[in-house]
Amino acid sequence: VQTEDIAKKAKQGAFCYGTVNMNSPCCCAACGIPYKLLVVFLGKNKGFGVVAGENIPEGSQVCEYVGELLEREVVRKREVLYKKEGLYYLFEPSQTHFIIDATYNGGVSRFINHSCKPNCKSKEIVQPEMLTLTSGHAHPSPPRVVYVTAKDVKKGEELTIDYIPNYTEDTVLQKQVACFCGAPKCRRWVL
């Protein structure tokens, strides 16, 4: 979906998107999103973000990170274009060689911004009973990735996640994307 289209819709007020095609606005509940989530424009530095449309208790699954499931080689080629356009809607689950690319087909989760002090966390759900066949051999399906609240989230509060959840003082950041989360101990860089 084109950024200009999203901007037009955002200027008309908050809106939400489902989990299949970003061109189709829909009701959160109809898409399996259990809470009302609003995609809003948060300003030049942050761009779009997701705000809770109602109170959400700690430990609640708020949405699934969905998109195209691609092999690393394909994504690496796309990243060249994405960097030029300032796009980054990729999630790399830890237990697979696939990457979820939500750039053109994704869900509301792709708009959840980074924070150095997030109120949500990602959770990978491995479903060993679901197998895919490759070259005649059965392999476990890639894990599903869901976002879960790490604390109670109040209506109107932005949902955030740490894009580098295992960050330590020794983590080397590429210093490609500045952080605007405003947390007291902000790392100043997202990537």
Side-chain angles (χ1 to χ4, degrees):
V1 78
Q2 298 298 316
T3 304
E4 302 84 48
D5 295 336
I6 298 171
K8 275 187 218 171
K9 291 177 183 176
K11 285 179 183 174
Q12 297 168 358
F15 60 95
C16 74
Y17 276 120
T19 58
V20 181
N21 185 317
M22 299 312 290
N23 290 316
S24 305
C26 62
C27 169
C28 295
C31 293
I33 298 173
Y35 296 96
K36 187 174 183 181
L37 305 177
L38 306 170
V39 175
V40 296
F41 187 73
L42 298 171
K44 182 181 175 187
N45 290 333
K46 283 187 141 188
F48 292 93
V50 177
V51 173
E54 61 185 292
N55 292 334
I56 305 173
E58 179 180 350
S60 298
Q61 179 179 317
V62 291
C63 59
E64 180 175 356
Y65 197 90
V66 295
E68 295 177 84
L69 200 56
L70 303 170
E71 293 188 1
R72 283 190 177 102
E73 300 78 39
V74 174
V75 173
R76 298 302 173 233
K77 291 176 184 173
R78 288 185 178 190
E79 278 184 311
V80 174
L81 171 66
Y82 293 169
K83 284 181 183 177
K84 287 180 187 174
E85 295 185 12
L87 301 172
Y88 198 85
Y89 301 106
L90 304 172
F91 193 105
E92 190 168 356
S94 62
Q95 300 179 25
T96 182
H97 64 279
F98 290 101
I99 294 174
I100 303 169
D101 183 351
T103 305
Y104 298 112
N105 290 295
V108 68
S109 59
R110 79 182 195 146
F111 294 109
I112 294 180
N113 286 319
H114 165 83
S115 175
C116 296
K117 187 172 180 172
N119 56 16
C120 294
K121 59 186 175 184
S122 64
K123 178 180 178 184
E124 295 179 23
I125 302 171
V126 179
Q127 297 174 312
E129 69 279 0
M130 294 181 65
L131 301 175
T132 56
L133 291 176
T134 306
S135 305
H137 300 286
H139 300 281
S141 292
R144 295 174 65 190
V145 177
V146 296
Y147 287 171
V148 177
T149 52
K151 67 176 201 71
D152 289 342
V153 177
K154 293 187 179 359
K155 179 180 180 178
E157 186 177 346
E158 181 185 8
L159 297 174
T160 57
I161 192 155
D162 189 341
Y163 290 179
I164 309 173
N166 298 321
Y167 175 85
T168 67
E169 293 297 322
D170 297 327
T171 302
V172 176
L173 298 175
Q174 297 173 17
K175 297 186 178 180
Q176 292 181 346
V177 180
C179 182
F180 299 99
C181 74
K185 294 186 178 182
C186 178
R187 301 190 289 256
R188 296 185 11 223
W189 298 99
V190 176
L191 300 173

